[in-house]
Amino acid sequence: MHSQSLKPVKRTINGILLLDKPQGITSNQALQTAKRLFAAKKAGHTGSLDPLATGLLPLCFGEATKFSQFLLEADKAYWVSARLGIKTKTGDAEGEIIEERPIPSSCFDQLESVLSMFRGPILQIPPMFSALKFKGKPLYELARQGITVERSAREVTVHGLTLLGTTVDSIELEIKCTKGTYVRTLIEDIGEALGCGAYVQGLRRLGVANYNERGMISLQQLEAFTQEERDHCLLPLDSLLHTWPCIKLSQAAVYYLYQGQAILLPNVSEKGWVRLVHTVNDQFIGVGEVLEDGRVAPRRLIEQR
């Protein structure tokens, strides 16, 4: 048997990696590269970034995949550079130019009042070039065939929209928004409101939930690291929930939760979703929900070792 036919041994590892996704590859390609480098059995990403976009792509390994939903549903933050005076088919630099318009000289004077129209709750029509599904097919597949289908508007919230700078034909913004906000659509809508059209020429994700750029690791760094150094880059499972209220549990309480039973605990004043921690070693065991009658029900628990 040739040694190259031996498959690398896959490891069971648990944790969250804050990957700095490079430009030009899909989120799934970035995930598969990281998974191979870690020789990990199980991994998933938490909300795709377009190939054009760079920045924060949290990857969940092992037991962390049970909690990836909370990152999918979390608020996001982006830096974006928008080119004014041009519209493209896809709303970003990857699409062909479909319209060019002069940039009115008054455009930059109006900027602040236009931006204020897009703060707070807004309605967006998802772009055809998106992964949203229509009759089981992603919209971008239909768009590539030249097919356009009716999309209904959705409400999203823009918590923050800050002008960072301008050039003769572009603006730089920082955006803080709820999940499901299409930055390309936001930029196109701002371009229309300015009267000249716009597309995204640069996009970088800066934040997801309570994670930000500070802990990010690039694929190049991962390539250069030893396996031990890579493992040190992984954040603990409950790092994504550290703002949640915490309930400490005795050995007996943990036992009953793992049996799937809701338990009544003294002095629980919390409501809703909570982090569950074992009192013995402060070990995170998963998430639960405080029910109307005050009992704590298990929702997602990590495997007991």
Side-chain angles (χ1 to χ4, degrees), residues 6 44-45 56 76-77 79 99 112 132 136 152-153 168 185 193 223 239 247-248 256 262 281 295-296:
L6 289 173
H45 66 66
L56 184 55
K76 314 285 190 297
W79 166 90
E99 196 183 341
E112 203 37 65
L132 268 189
S152 48
V168 287
T185 302
E223 291 268 8
S239 58
I247 290 183
K248 299 209 167 187
Y256 286 113
N281 47 10
R295 289 179 308 147
V296 179

Side-chain angles (χ1 to χ4, degrees), residues 225-244:
F225 286 166
T226 64
Q227 201 60 281
E228 196 180 346
E229 287 170 325
R230 284 182 202 126
D231 289 354
H232 277 305
C233 299
L234 293 175
L235 300 173
L237 300 185
D238 61 340
S239 58
L240 71 98
L241 309 169
H242 85 239
T243 53
W244 287 29

Side-chain angles (χ1 to χ4, degrees), residues 186-218:
L186 182 61
I187 294 305
E188 286 185 311
D189 292 347
I190 289 169
E192 287 308 308
L194 290 168
C196 58
Y199 73 86
V200 171
Q201 63 180 1
L203 181 63
R204 183 165 177 76
R205 189 150 69 190
L206 307 173
V208 176
N210 54 287
Y211 296 132
N212 56 38
E213 296 177 284
R214 282 197 292 277
M216 287 198 301
I217 306 287
S218 71

Side-chain angles (χ1 to χ4, degrees), residues 154-167:
R154 306 162 142 208
E155 187 177 286
V156 294
T157 302
V158 177
H159 297 299
L161 188 56
T162 310
L163 181 66
L164 301 176
T166 61
T167 70

Side-chain angles (χ1 to χ4, degrees), residues 105-154:
S105 52
S106 61
C107 167
F108 294 101
D109 302 330
Q110 296 174 277
L111 253 177
E112 203 37 65
S113 63
V114 165
L115 292 179
S116 68
M117 292 160 41
F118 293 93
R119 294 187 184 111
I122 59 167
L123 286 175
Q124 277 195 334
I125 294 173
M128 274 304 297
F129 280 89
S130 67
L132 268 189
K133 291 208 165 63
F134 176 79
K135 293 185 177 170
K137 274 195 167 178
L139 287 179
Y140 62 76
E141 278 185 21
L142 299 172
R144 283 180 192 143
Q145 296 164 31
I147 300 167
T148 303
V149 296
E150 195 71 29
R151 286 100 61 213
S152 48
R154 306 162 142 208

Side-chain angles (χ1 to χ4, degrees), residues 52-69:
L52 171 95
T54 66
L56 184 55
L57 182 68
L59 302 182
C60 292
F61 289 91
E63 291 288 285
T65 55
K66 289 180 178 174
F67 309 101
S68 58
Q69 192 61 32

